Each structure stands twice: as structure tokens, then as C-alpha cells.
Amino acid sequence: DAGITQSPRYKITETGRQVTLMCHQTWSHSYMFWYRQDLGHGLRLIYYSAAADITDKGEVPDGYVVSRSKTENFPLTLESATRSQTSVYFCASSDGGAIETQYFGPGTRLLVL
Amino acid sequence: AQSVAQPEDQVNVAEGNPLTVKCTYSVSGNPYLFWYVQYPNRGLQFLLKYITGDNLVKGSYGFEAEFNKSQTSFHLKKPSALVSDSALYFCAVRYAGKSTFGDGTTLTVKP
């Protein structure tokens, strides 16, 4: 099916473990984004990518790593998970340019114990 | 730096009444402004955007928004609310390639 998908949808992990959240889009959009959503903070940008092999930090990048070897995939890795990284993570994509709409995935709920 | 404020955490309206969800922004240049809606356990869905031109923008599901440059506002409106409009609404400003979202406003429409 076309669109933007995220996996897993739910994840429970322990402090200190490495976790990778996957994001896949079928539109060949050039831009992809990772946000976290927390109560009282709205959405905060973690990282974004303008094209394959081009990534840049957002508002809250510490503790996260991204890569973009293919246009359609944009995985987000928590190298050593902390409780403060318990959140809902959303991936989004857009067709580039400042005026383009972002399309969001369904989200991944991550609980770090 | 750019910022977005949604001054109301919660808006309650009766079905059939008009609704307004407020948004103000701060950015150094000309902004691109967006409204998104989020239903429970779902990602954000695009409603409408202002790029340039007419200050009144019409979007999905009967929503519209008015851009007011002097008041730096971009309030979301609908003439007649539906119970199914109940959701979390986010305003966003995009400038210099980055998007900044407000904290969201929960809209509850009561029958």
C-alpha cells in the first residue's frame, strides 16, 4: 500500500538498550522528518533529511542517530535508551520545499523502563 | 527563532455552533502556516495551509483559517461544528526549511 508506515507501532525496552524505529514512505518524497510528541510540548523535531545521505539536526537531537541510505527509508536509532525518551515518535515526509505539506505516519509508542 | 503559540489547551463548543481555535506565531520573515488535526492513536493529518495571497484559506472538512499579518495570527474556524470534529489540533509555522508546531488544542464538540 502506498503511504508512510512506521514499525514497530509499540515498543517496550529497558534503559541502556539500543532501539531502532523504522520509517518507510512510498511517494519518493525528498524530505523526511522525525518528531517526538510529549504532553505539554507538542511535536518537537529530532532530525530531518533533505535527501538520501543528507541529514540535519532538529530541536532535540541528543541521544538519537539517523541515517538515510535510501530515499524511502529513514530509521531512527536510540543508541542507549533513557526513560526520558519514553514518547510517541512520528515520522513524516514531504515533497521538498518550504510550502509543501508534511504527511505523517501513524506513530510509534515507545516505553523505556 | 520561530515560535507558535496556541493559547488554549481546550476548546469546548456545542454541535452546530461556530468554532475558533487560536494560533499566533513569531517569525522574522514571511511565514508558511499550516493546520493539522490528530485523532486518537493516529498521526497528524493536513487540514490547510497559507502560503500567500488571499488571507482566508479554505481546507478540508469545512475548516477555514484567516491569516492576519498585523496580529501575527492564523486562527482556525468552522461555521458549524460537528461531534466528529472533536480531536487535537496543531498549528505549525514553516520558515527556513524547518517546521515548528504549537502544543496543540483539544477541541471537544458536544451534542
Side-chain angles (χ1 to χ4, degrees):
Chain A
D1 290 339
I4 182 165
T5 57
Q6 293 182 235
S7 61
R9 294 293 313 279
Y10 303 92
K11 178 72 177 178
I12 300 174
T13 191
E14 295 177 338
T15 301
R17 290 191 180 268
Q18 184 179 80
V19 177
T20 296
L21 310 183
M22 304 301 293
C23 178
H24 176 78
Q25 51 103 355
T26 61
W27 294 302
S28 298
H29 283 169
S30 55
Y31 278 77
M32 296 188 75
F33 309 82
W34 273 108
Y35 294 90
R36 59 177 290 173
Q37 183 179 29
D38 305 290
L39 280 175
H41 289 284
L43 272 77
R44 292 182 290 176
L45 181 65
I46 304 171
Y47 269 95
Y48 68 103
S49 169
D53 297 321
I54 301 175
T55 63
D56 206 351
K57 295 179 180 179
E59 184 183 353
V60 288
D62 293 344
Y64 303 95
V65 174
V66 294
S67 62
R68 188 137 179 238
S69 57
K70 293 184 178 181
T71 300
E72 60 267 29
N73 296 324
F74 191 40
L76 175 73
T77 297
L78 288 65
E79 293 188 301
S80 178
T82 65
R83 289 194 180 93
S84 64
Q85 293 177 310
T86 292
S87 186
V88 181
Y89 291 85
F90 287 100
C91 179
S93 70
S94 75
D95 199 17
I99 65 172
E100 294 302 324
T101 300
Q102 293 183 37
Y103 295 90
F104 285 80
T108 295
R109 290 184 177 273
L110 176 67
L111 174 61
V112 183
L113 300 175
Chain B
Q2 60 198 54
S3 65
V4 175
Q6 292 181 240
E8 300 159 317
D9 292 335
Q10 180 97 24
V11 170
N12 297 314
V13 298
E15 190 174 30
N17 284 359
L19 69 87
T20 298
V21 183
K22 295 179 180 178
C23 172
T24 59
Y25 65 91
S26 175
V27 70
S28 56
N30 291 321
Y32 302 123
L33 297 160
F34 298 78
W35 275 102
Y36 291 86
V37 60
Q38 185 181 29
Y39 297 101
N41 300 314
R42 301 285 296 276
L44 277 70
Q45 297 176 30
F46 169 75
L47 273 181
L48 51 80
K49 65 183 176 184
Y50 171 82
I51 305 301
T52 187
D54 194 347
N55 289 342
L56 185 64
V57 179
K58 294 187 183 297
S60 306
Y61 312 120
F63 284 94
E64 57 189 28
E66 187 169 10
F67 172 65
N68 188 316
K69 188 172 184 178
S70 63
Q71 296 185 3
T72 61
S73 67
F74 189 55
H75 301 330
L76 181 70
K77 300 181 179 183
K78 187 172 181 181
S80 179
L82 299 172
V83 172
S84 57
D85 293 331
S86 298
L88 182 58
Y89 290 81
F90 289 96
C91 180
V93 60
R94 191 149 183 202
Y95 182 72
K98 292 187 179 180
S99 291
T100 299
F101 287 79
D103 289 344
T105 298
T106 299
L107 172 67
T108 302
V109 181
K110 298 182 178 178

